[in-house]
Amino acid sequence: MLNSKEEIRIEQAVVHIMDPGLGMPVLSDTLLDLGSDLADFLKAHIYKIDTSDDVKNCSFLEDSQIFPLVEEWEQEKFLETSQKIAGQLYPIMNQNIDIPGADLLVAEYSVEKHRYLALLKMNYKTSYTHLTNSDPWGNNNDIIQQKAILPGETQKLTEAALIDLDSPQYLRVAEKKYEVNGVKTNYFSKMFLKCSASLSSKSKLSIVSKAVADVQKKYFSESEQFEVQMETKSILNREFAEQGGFQVPEVVDKIFKDHPDMKEEVHEKLEKYHLNEAAVEPQNPATTKKYMTQRLLTDTGIELKIPMEEYNNKDRIEFITNADGTISLLIKNIGSIESR
């Protein structure tokens, strides 16, 4: 994974217009002039894709039309190859009205002499800008709608692929489902790239967390659930802080160490996703940020936000179960309090 977008060196790039409303793609015959601003724009999008935990590791299938194009990659044929790639995508877009129009930006780049190809589908956004018309009576300023605005540097692309040109069988894919023949489909991987995909790190974490929570809700009463859920969050946060991720069997053992039946039920839920022996290793801090804080809401409307290091320090926070079944929270050793 990249540590900085400055590690990326853009070698060459081209943009093809893939607007289904035109009835045909508008393929460019010239490369983009890579000034510093455009290069930074491309680097920002590539870096955002590379460091996203939504990205899936994939491998091309035998019937892929894209794989032969990248397997025999030649820098000198960049334009021709990019046009062929765009030619595979446009008919899919044109035949399915729910797939948004876009520009396909194809870029060859390197990281420490390792070569990659980026396929960035930049879906159009609608925005407004001014337009000035001059006539004998002066200037007439108006506001007009622009329907083909590209995503900015800070916006995340919903469909993109990063292909390792030195090992072209493998690629990383970000995608979003759109309706194809009445069914929500990952068209970008299944119909365009034709590659098999593993679950993203973010999806793995979500599935494991849900399986654990479902079993806890089944076996623990409402008054018990908040405590076991907080402890689960603490365990996961510790794994992220110390290991950068976790092995599924090990973390399930820690969460359900005294409940073998519950542990077995979690494994049954995870089996259909082939996650029983999986590793979950998120790369982006944003994915694990929510595990750094305990957020609680009481039935009386009080909201609490407790940093995990404070929750784990029994000299600072203590939960007390009263004889009548209610719960008291004791916050200790406060030096000062601010009203916000």
Side-chain angles (χ1 to χ4, degrees), residues 83-119:
Q83 290 173 345
K84 290 179 179 177
I85 291 172
Q88 292 294 321
L89 177 59
Y90 188 81
I92 300 170
M93 297 171 58
N94 197 39
Q95 293 164 16
N96 296 280
I97 192 171
D98 287 324
I99 298 176
D103 284 356
L104 179 65
L105 209 156
V106 182
E108 183 182 0
Y109 68 99
S110 59
V111 178
E112 296 182 348
K113 297 183 180 180
H114 204 86
R115 301 178 308 141
Y116 298 90
L117 186 70
L119 307 180

Side-chain angles (χ1 to χ4, degrees), residues 211-268:
V212 168
D214 286 348
V215 171
Q216 288 173 335
K217 288 176 183 178
K218 178 179 177 179
Y219 287 98
F220 292 100
S221 66
E222 285 191 24
S223 60
E224 296 172 318
Q225 283 176 24
F226 93 96
E227 190 171 352
V228 296
Q229 289 170 358
M230 284 196 302
E231 185 58 26
T232 296
K233 203 171 187 180
S234 177
I235 290 170
L236 292 176
N237 179 68
R238 194 177 303 118
E239 294 294 312
F240 292 136
E242 296 176 0
Q243 309 294 334
F246 60 82
Q247 299 292 325
V248 170
E250 293 177 9
V251 84
V252 172
D253 281 345
K254 291 178 181 179
I255 293 171
F256 295 101
K257 58 183 178 181
D258 298 323
H259 304 281
D261 292 345
M262 296 185 200
K263 181 170 64 177
E264 182 62 29
E265 192 160 331
V266 170
H267 281 303
E268 288 176 4

Side-chain angles (χ1 to χ4, degrees), residues 16 46 88 97 103 135 139 176 189 205 217 234 260 302 308 323 335:
H16 300 301
I46 291 170
Q88 292 294 321
I97 192 171
D103 284 356
D135 56 37
N139 293 328
K176 179 181 178 180
S189 64
L205 178 57
K217 288 176 183 178
S234 177
I302 298 173
M308 196 61 76

Side-chain angles (χ1 to χ4, degrees), residues 21 35 64 77 109 140 166 180 183 213 229 233 253 299 304 306:
S64 171
K77 295 183 178 179
Y109 68 99
N140 175 20
D166 294 325
V180 175
V183 179
Q229 289 170 358
K233 203 171 187 180
D253 281 345
D299 59 354
L304 300 170
I306 308 171

